[in-house]
């Protein structure tokens, strides 16, 4: 095994572990914010700090993913990356879009903190932006979770991948609906 291929294997493992950590941080961040929006727990500025940590983890994940995706192209100019509508293309585009939307989300949280929203317009902007972030995450995870489960060796049966995709998509949609309901109850009602 050459140093380059060894590096790729290690980066893929690191990226898989990082993806699991990101998913756990994302769940925690979303659940805490949803619970605070429905007044089960009090909002804390620590949620914002938690969100910044999550963003840094996502950004590191993006950098590693981009390196792994384009390393072959940079190494050998004759290799063409064929990105029709494939899982890899969906992961790549949704990942980049997700980071752009997260940056907009962070920017808007800074200029209009959730706990200080006083107008319906600000609330609607938060709802739209947060749900665009959530949808981009949902699209990214709908492809990434089954692929991660394959990488970790959990999906070995003939229909395991298809079943994992269906189950994860249902869970992600339910999660998105819960976030949407919590935001509407907080900002609109």
């Amino acid at each position: 095994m050459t140093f380059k291929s060894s590096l790729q294997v290690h980066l893929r493992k690191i990226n898989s572990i990082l993806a699991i950590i990101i998913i756990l941080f994302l769940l925690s961040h979303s659940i805490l914010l949803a619970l605070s929006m429905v007044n089960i727990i009090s909002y804390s500025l620590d949620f914002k700090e938690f969100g910044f940590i999550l963003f840094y983890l996502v950004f590191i994940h993006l950098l590693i993913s981009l390196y792994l995706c384009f390393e072959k192209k940079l190494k050998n100019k004759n290799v063409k990356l064929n990105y029709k509508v494939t899982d890899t293309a969906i992961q790549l585009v949704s990942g980049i879009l997700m980071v752009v939307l997260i940056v907009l989300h962070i920017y808007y949280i800074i200029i209009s903190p959730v706990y200080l929203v006083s107008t319906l317009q600000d609330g609607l902007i938060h709802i739209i932006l947060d749900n665009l972030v959530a949808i981009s995450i949902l699209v990214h995870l709908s492809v990434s979770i089954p692929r991660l489960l394959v990488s970790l060796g959990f999906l070995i049966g003939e229909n395991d991948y298809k079943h994992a995709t269906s189950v994860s998509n249902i869970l992600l949609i339910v999660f998105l609906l819960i976030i949407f309901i919590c935001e509407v109850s907080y900002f609109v009602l």
Side-chain angles (χ1 to χ4, degrees):
M1 184 178 286
T2 66
F3 173 75
K4 193 78 156 180
S5 62
S6 174
L7 176 64
Q8 287 179 345
V9 168
H10 291 303
L11 284 176
R12 288 187 194 288
K13 288 179 184 177
I14 290 168
N15 226 18
S16 293
I17 293 167
L18 195 55
I20 294 168
I21 293 168
I22 289 168
I23 290 169
L24 294 174
F25 264 72
L26 176 65
L27 284 171
S28 300
H29 181 66
S30 300
I31 290 169
L32 288 172
L33 287 170
L35 291 174
S36 74
M37 287 183 178
V38 293
N39 293 320
I40 294 175
I41 63 172
S42 297
Y43 178 81
S44 169
L45 290 176
D46 293 339
F47 297 168
K48 194 184 289 188
E49 299 298 323
F50 196 75
F52 280 116
I53 293 168
L54 178 59
F55 175 72
Y56 297 134
L57 292 172
V58 167
F59 191 72
I60 292 167
H61 177 72
L62 173 72
L63 291 177
I64 293 171
S65 297
L66 287 174
Y67 172 79
L68 291 170
C69 183
F70 292 108
E71 190 275 331
K72 284 183 183 176
K73 178 69 175 161
L74 295 173
K75 180 180 170 189
N76 185 353
K77 304 267 189 238
N78 295 330
V79 173
K80 292 186 179 182
L81 297 176
N82 186 8
Y83 286 119
K84 294 180 182 170
V85 180
T86 65
D87 286 351
T88 303
I90 292 169
Q91 271 184 309
L92 179 65
V93 171
S94 64
I96 293 169
L97 179 63
M98 181 176 53
V99 169
V100 170
L101 289 169
I102 289 170
V103 168
L104 291 173
H105 166 76
I106 291 170
Y107 174 75
Y108 200 71
I109 290 288
I110 290 170
I111 66 169
S112 177
V114 172
Y115 56 89
L116 293 178
V117 170
S118 60
T119 67
L120 181 61
Q121 179 182 346
D122 277 345
L124 290 175
I125 292 170
H126 274 286
I127 291 170
I128 292 167
L129 193 53
D130 293 351
N131 282 282
L132 286 174
V133 170
I135 290 167
S136 68
I137 291 170
L138 181 134
V139 169
H140 190 74
L141 289 179
S142 71
V143 173
S144 299
I145 289 174
R147 293 179 91 182
L148 178 63
L149 293 172
V150 168
S151 298
L152 297 174
F154 291 117
L155 304 180
I156 53 175
E158 191 174 311
N159 293 318
D160 287 354
Y161 187 85
K162 186 177 180 181
H163 181 70
T165 301
S166 297
V167 170
S168 67
N169 285 344
I170 290 167
L171 292 173
L172 289 166
I173 290 169
V174 168
F175 194 68
L176 177 67
L177 289 173
I178 290 169
I179 290 170
F180 180 74
I181 291 166
C182 290
E183 286 194 333
V184 168
S185 72
Y186 181 79
F187 290 116
V188 179
L189 302 179

